[in-house]
């Protein structure tokens, strides 16, 4: 388990990470989202022990960053956004060097390298110098070094950066495979990638955590959309009186008919339909709005900073 408690990081007068706390359980695949400067990379650098917190704590099971940093680092595989590689080395030579750095016993290195090459589909490029590879293949080399020692925690910063569509699909499949034996944290600007591979999302803004939710729970937070024959005040009042309906907003549906958006749980749908009938209205459609990750991200970043701080 990974536990961050009141984590803060300052660069002089700049507050890069501001009092962030969260817990990630073993085997979770978590997406870390936010615009440039939101604090994602700073948090990942503190998680991996490359950067010290100004205040707060980071715990991995019974280990703590600071007191037990080397032990935690041995359990982590990390792909930075711009992964440092030695361009003059061949792929297999670079992985041999990384295997030595990870203290993989000499007798196990060949098997570990072969497995990492297989999982990242690098077999055709294994003997080539890294400097001759495309950006996408270099990214795969970075992933290979991150998973070489079979870490308990895999942290990937923009793992699909530079990959073509086929390679992106392969990367998604690799992340799903990794999640069977490791906790995976993925930071990316591409929301579709989070929706494709993650079960939970953390959204940062201005160094603060503003959303921490499972993706299926975010989707359930959508409104009930009601299409009726008329939008008179009596019908709106009847809908507002339904137990569990927190707010009623008039709207015009895609077909041009009047309707209402109800802030209510899906369990209210039968009572909503009954209320329309009891008020003498005709119900044409009653659906659950699908709240997408794109919509949530836009809402968070459109809100005034003061509101975001209050929400956090």
């Amino acid at each position: 388990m990974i536990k961050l408690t009141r984590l803060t990081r300052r660069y002089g007068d700049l507050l890069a990470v501001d009092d962030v706390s969260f817990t990630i359980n073993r085997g979770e695949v978590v997406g870390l989202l936010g615009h440039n400067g939101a604090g994602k990379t700073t948090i990942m650098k503190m998680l991996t022990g490359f950067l010290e917190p100004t205040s707060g704590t980071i715990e991995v099971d019974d280990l703590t960053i600071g007191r037990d940093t080397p032990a935690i680092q041995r359990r982590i595989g990390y792909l930075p956004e711009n992964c440092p590689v030695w361009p003059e080395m061949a792929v297999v030579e670079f992985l041999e060097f990384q295997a030595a750095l990870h203290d993989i016993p000499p007798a196990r290195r060949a098997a570990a390298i072969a497995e990492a090459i297989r999982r990242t589909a690098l077999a055709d490029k294994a003997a080539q110098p890294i400097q001759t590879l495309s950006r996408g293949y270099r990214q795969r080399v970075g992933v290979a070094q991150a998973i070489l020692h079979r870490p308990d925690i895999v942290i990937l910063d923009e793992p699909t950066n530079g990959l073509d569509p086929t390679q992106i699909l392969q990367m998604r499949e690799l992340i799903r495979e990794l999640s069977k034996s490791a906790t995976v944290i993925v930071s990316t600007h591409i929301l579709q990638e989070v929706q494709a591979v993650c079960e939970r999302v953390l959204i940062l803004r201005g160094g603060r955590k503003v959303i921490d939710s499972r993706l299926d729970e975010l989707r359930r937070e959508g409104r009930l959309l009601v299409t009726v024959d008329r939008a008179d005040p009596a019908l709106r009042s009847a809908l507002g009186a339904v137990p569990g309906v927190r707010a009623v907003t008039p709207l015009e549906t895609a077909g041009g008919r009047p309707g209402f958006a109800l802030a209510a749980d899906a369990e209210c749908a039968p009572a909503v339909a009954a209320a329309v009938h009891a008020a003498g209205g005709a119900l044409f459609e009653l659906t659950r709005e699908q709240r997408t990750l794109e919509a949530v991200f836009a809402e968070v970043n459109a809100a005034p900073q003061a509101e975001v701080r209050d929400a956090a």
Side-chain angles (χ1 to χ4, degrees):
M1 183 179 72
I2 302 168
K3 183 178 181 182
L4 277 66
T5 306
R6 308 205 68 176
L7 196 66
T8 298
R9 173 67 196 193
R10 292 182 178 274
Y11 296 97
D13 294 332
L14 174 64
L15 186 58
V17 175
D18 185 5
D19 198 30
V20 170
S21 300
F22 59 80
T23 299
I24 299 176
N25 295 316
R26 187 181 305 275
E28 280 194 288
V29 183
V30 178
L32 192 60
L33 292 176
H35 286 308
N36 290 334
K40 306 186 303 297
T41 297
T42 300
I43 285 177
M44 286 186 289
K45 286 182 177 179
M46 289 190 285
L47 270 171
T48 53
F50 289 102
L51 191 64
E52 291 185 358
T54 301
S55 63
T57 60
I58 301 172
E59 299 170 87
V60 177
D61 293 332
D62 57 346
L63 305 174
T64 302
I65 286 287
R67 184 191 67 198
D68 308 301
T69 298
I72 291 174
Q73 287 176 327
R74 282 192 287 271
R75 298 178 59 177
I76 291 176
Y78 180 37
L79 172 70
E81 182 176 1
N82 297 304
C83 183
V85 292
W86 280 259
E88 69 278 2
M89 282 185 171
V91 171
V92 70
E93 291 173 336
F94 174 71
L95 294 178
E96 287 171 353
F97 175 61
Q98 291 294 321
L101 292 180
H102 285 302
D103 288 330
I104 297 175
R108 288 184 47 232
R109 286 179 193 171
I113 292 167
E115 181 183 26
I117 287 174
R118 176 188 59 79
R119 296 174 85 182
T120 53
L122 280 168
D124 292 342
K125 308 292 182 181
Q128 289 188 213
I130 294 173
Q131 63 189 355
T132 66
L133 302 182
S134 67
R135 185 178 181 182
Y137 275 106
R138 291 190 187 201
Q139 190 77 345
R140 286 204 249 177
V141 173
V143 175
Q145 65 80 28
I147 66 174
L148 190 60
H149 56 302
R150 285 189 161 269
D152 297 328
I153 301 165
V154 179
I155 300 176
L156 305 173
D157 194 355
E158 300 289 351
T160 58
N161 198 8
L163 302 187
D164 63 35
T166 299
Q167 293 170 335
I168 288 173
L169 293 176
Q170 291 172 341
M171 182 62 68
R172 290 177 182 176
E173 188 56 39
L174 175 58
I175 291 172
R176 294 188 189 102
E177 182 186 341
L178 290 171
S179 69
K180 295 176 182 177
S181 58
T183 301
V184 183
I185 301 173
V186 180
S187 175
T188 179
H189 290 85
I190 305 173
L191 301 184
Q192 292 89 339
E193 294 308 306
V194 173
Q195 292 182 130
V197 300
C198 298
E199 55 197 27
R200 178 176 160 206
V201 62
L202 292 161
I203 301 180
L204 303 173
R205 180 179 173 189
R208 291 181 66 89
K209 181 189 74 177
V210 293
I211 295 286
D212 180 356
S213 177
R214 289 183 56 87
L215 285 174
D216 54 0
E217 291 173 353
L218 279 180
R219 295 187 186 105
R220 285 199 298 267
E221 291 176 3
R223 303 171 296 176
L224 284 175
L225 304 180
V226 184
T227 304
V228 291
D229 59 333
R230 64 186 188 276
D232 62 48
L235 188 52
R236 180 177 180 178
S237 178
L239 291 172
V242 173
V245 174
R246 300 180 293 277
V248 180
T249 305
L251 58 81
E252 182 175 313
T253 63
R257 292 187 180 276
F260 299 96
L262 311 182
D265 296 331
E267 290 74 15
C268 297
V272 167
V276 172
H277 177 72
L283 179 63
F284 288 92
E285 189 173 6
L286 176 57
T287 60
R288 186 70 179 167
E289 180 183 48
Q290 292 298 313
R291 194 178 185 215
T292 65
L293 184 56
E294 287 88 348
V296 173
F297 193 73
E299 289 169 13
V300 165
N301 288 285
Q305 188 69 22
E307 292 182 15
V308 171
R309 287 183 177 274
D310 290 342

